[in-house]
Amino acid sequence: MLQGSVLGLLLFILYTAELMDIVAGYKTTLHAFADDHQLFIRCLVEDTQSAAANIEQCVAAIEHWMAENCLQLNADKAELRLVPNTVC
């Protein structure tokens, strides 16, 4: 990769663009920040377990895609957070 160049960032975005399609298949939102990605899913409290399972399946699909594309998921940095909605 052309680290530190303007073209390098564009090439990385093109290289990882397929992740958006993978994530969309799991009805999950992806926020990408350079080489860091975050998955989001909204659900009702009673659907928390199924939402967590959905995220886990999405991460497994991403990990499979990454292995096919010579990338590696850093499991030490991966975590699942449940954030309650405080809006009434």
Side-chain angles (χ1 to χ4, degrees):
M1 189 61 64
L2 302 169
Q3 187 174 357
S5 71
V6 174
L7 185 57
L9 181 57
L10 179 61
L11 291 173
F12 183 79
I13 290 169
L14 291 173
Y15 187 69
T16 59
E18 193 175 342
L19 285 176
M20 294 291 192
D21 296 332
I22 293 170
V23 170
Y26 291 90
K27 295 181 176 41
T28 304
T29 304
L30 177 70
H31 289 174
F33 306 97
D35 64 346
D36 185 33
H37 294 74
Q38 296 176 348
L39 297 173
F40 293 91
I41 192 167
R42 295 183 76 147
C43 67
L44 299 172
V45 172
E46 56 267 17
D47 297 331
T48 302
Q49 286 184 337
S50 63
N54 191 37
I55 287 280
E56 288 175 359
Q57 292 171 354
C58 184
V59 169
I62 290 171
E63 193 167 22
H64 177 75
W65 176 86
M66 291 179 80
E68 288 181 342
N69 289 279
C70 301
L71 298 170
Q72 185 175 359
L73 180 70
N74 187 344
D76 292 336
K77 291 185 176 181
E79 61 183 51
L80 175 63
R81 291 186 189 178
L82 299 175
V83 181
N85 186 357
T86 58
V87 177
C88 297

